Amino acid sequence: MKKLRHRFERFCYNHRTKGIPNLMLWITIATAAVYLFYLVSGNDVLYRLLAFDRSSILRGQVWRLITYIFLDYDASLLWMVIGLLCYYSLGRAMENLWGALRFNLFYFTGVVLMDIYGMIFGVQADVFYLNLSLFLGYATLYPDTYFRLFFIIPVRAWIFALFYLGITAYQVIMLSYPVLYFPLNLYPLVALANYFLFFGSDIKHVFPMSWRANAGRLFRKKKKYAPQEPKPRTGAIPFPKAGSYQASTATVKAPYHHKCAVCGRTDVSHPDLEFRYCSKCNGYHCYCQDHISSHTHIE
């Protein structure tokens, strides 16, 4: 599985310019246009025309499979402006790090998963959880970034991410017990499936490094070493065979000092790049500035 994901990351990097560039910019513009039409006209005819509806889709209105991402129903003008600016900046930051192709796949994977679930069970697809997966993805890539709560209080991104994950878990539990509201109870998990699918074990980066270190010490198994009997000494001192010392000490100098373990770029082929070594990987592995925060850790 790790090799498959490594190949996927290499493929996305080699084709990072493919796909729709500035995807969140176009989505933001379309959402703002629909909302302004609603404010000016005073009716929701455009909302009813673009919203997800299984019966209408089965009658041939297939555009509803994608156009519902431009709708935000219960939002005032101020919160609409703040929300659009926030989601645009989050998506733009992720696209700059990942490239257009991988970000497009991340976003539209969430759309397809919600479409499939909505068509099978008749659930109303909503853009709220899709944008929530966007926020969680940003918080995983940049956990130490600060957000201004009420535009004053600085709060780290990982705190908001854990808060939203807690709310999602609470909603799933409340819709499952004491009365099982299936399939609504599983819809938040399906809507966030693209986040879990693309990040996998990297979800742990949402938690502070101190928490992960303490959890690793708690669950790490201590190795038991069996006592070794001392070997009897002999009068003969073993010497290496002729030529072995020269062969073991001979080193071959590589034509570079640093090489990214994901994309293969070096400080010689790309002297403008910065290279770092990951302390979380098992071993001494180097990564360039584009993959130091998004690579799969080697265990």
Side-chain angles (χ1 to χ4, degrees):
M1 194 65 182
K2 292 183 179 179
K3 292 183 179 180
L4 181 62
R5 186 178 179 185
H6 181 78
R7 292 178 181 177
F8 172 75
E9 292 178 351
R10 176 68 66 88
F11 174 81
C12 290
Y13 177 80
N14 293 334
H15 303 83
R16 57 185 292 122
T17 58
K18 306 295 182 182
I20 304 175
N22 297 323
L23 176 63
M24 288 307 300
L25 174 63
W26 300 112
I27 294 177
T28 300
I29 292 175
T31 304
V34 173
Y35 188 78
L36 289 177
F37 178 83
Y38 169 75
L39 292 180
V40 173
S41 62
N43 58 67
D44 59 348
V45 59
L46 195 57
Y47 276 76
R48 288 185 280 107
L49 182 63
L50 302 179
F52 185 93
D53 184 72
R54 183 173 67 172
S55 60
S56 300
I57 294 173
L58 294 176
R59 289 197 300 266
Q61 300 180 12
V62 294
W63 63 83
R64 295 177 181 268
L65 292 170
I66 188 67
T67 53
Y68 68 88
I69 66 176
F70 306 131
L71 307 180
D72 199 342
Y73 297 92
D74 302 323
S76 62
L77 179 59
L78 176 61
W79 286 111
M80 173 64 73
V81 173
I82 295 175
L84 291 181
L85 291 177
C86 179
Y87 290 125
Y88 165 72
S89 60
L90 297 180
R92 185 61 180 170
M94 292 182 63
E95 183 177 341
N96 289 336
L97 180 62
W98 277 357
L101 177 62
R102 186 172 180 179
F103 180 74
N104 282 204
L105 292 175
F106 171 78
Y107 195 87
F108 287 118
T109 297
V111 174
V112 172
L113 291 174
M114 288 193 296
D115 290 341
I116 294 174
Y117 196 75
M119 292 300 295
I120 294 176
F121 298 104
V123 180
Q124 179 72 29
D126 197 305
V127 73
F128 171 76
Y129 287 105
L130 186 61
N131 291 335
L132 178 57
S133 68
L134 191 70
F135 173 78
L136 292 176
Y138 177 86
T140 306
L141 295 174
Y142 305 97
D144 293 328
T145 304
Y146 282 97
F147 288 95
R148 295 286 178 175
L149 183 62
F150 304 116
F151 304 101
I152 299 176
I153 306 174
V155 181
R156 291 184 184 273
W158 66 266
I159 298 178
F160 277 110
L162 294 181
F163 175 74
Y164 279 120
L165 286 176
I167 291 180
T168 302
Y170 175 78
Q171 291 176 343
V172 173
I173 295 173
M174 293 301 296
L175 292 174
S176 303
Y177 180 83
V179 180
L180 180 61
Y181 291 97
F182 180 82
L184 290 176
N185 61 324
L186 297 181
Y187 178 70
L189 298 180
V190 174
L192 295 179
N194 65 324
Y195 168 70
F196 298 107
L197 180 63
F198 271 72
F199 284 91
S201 61
D202 290 340
I203 297 175
K204 62 185 179 182
H205 295 166
V206 175
F207 299 93
M209 186 177 297
S210 59
W211 294 12
R212 284 179 274 148
N214 293 332
R217 297 190 190 101
L218 181 62
F219 295 101
R220 186 181 298 119
K221 295 182 179 179
K222 295 183 178 180
K223 297 182 179 180
K224 297 182 179 180
Y225 295 94
Q228 298 180 358
E229 297 181 358
K231 297 181 179 180
R233 295 186 177 182
T234 59
I237 300 177
F239 286 95
K241 296 181 180 180
S244 60
Y245 178 80
Q246 182 179 1
S248 61
T249 57
T251 57
V252 179
K253 293 185 178 180
Y256 53 83
H257 294 286
H258 308 290
K259 180 179 180 180
C260 180
V262 176
C263 62
R265 294 183 295 180
T266 66
D267 56 340
V268 176
S269 60
H270 296 78
D272 55 332
L273 287 179
E274 294 183 2
F275 294 84
R276 297 290 185 271
Y277 288 84
C278 182
S279 60
K280 305 171 187 176
C281 292
N282 185 11
Y284 197 62
H285 299 280
C286 177
Y287 300 93
C288 65
Q289 62 189 28
D290 296 330
H291 296 102
I292 186 64
S293 301
S294 61
H295 66 273
T296 303
H297 295 296
I298 300 174
E299 298 179 356

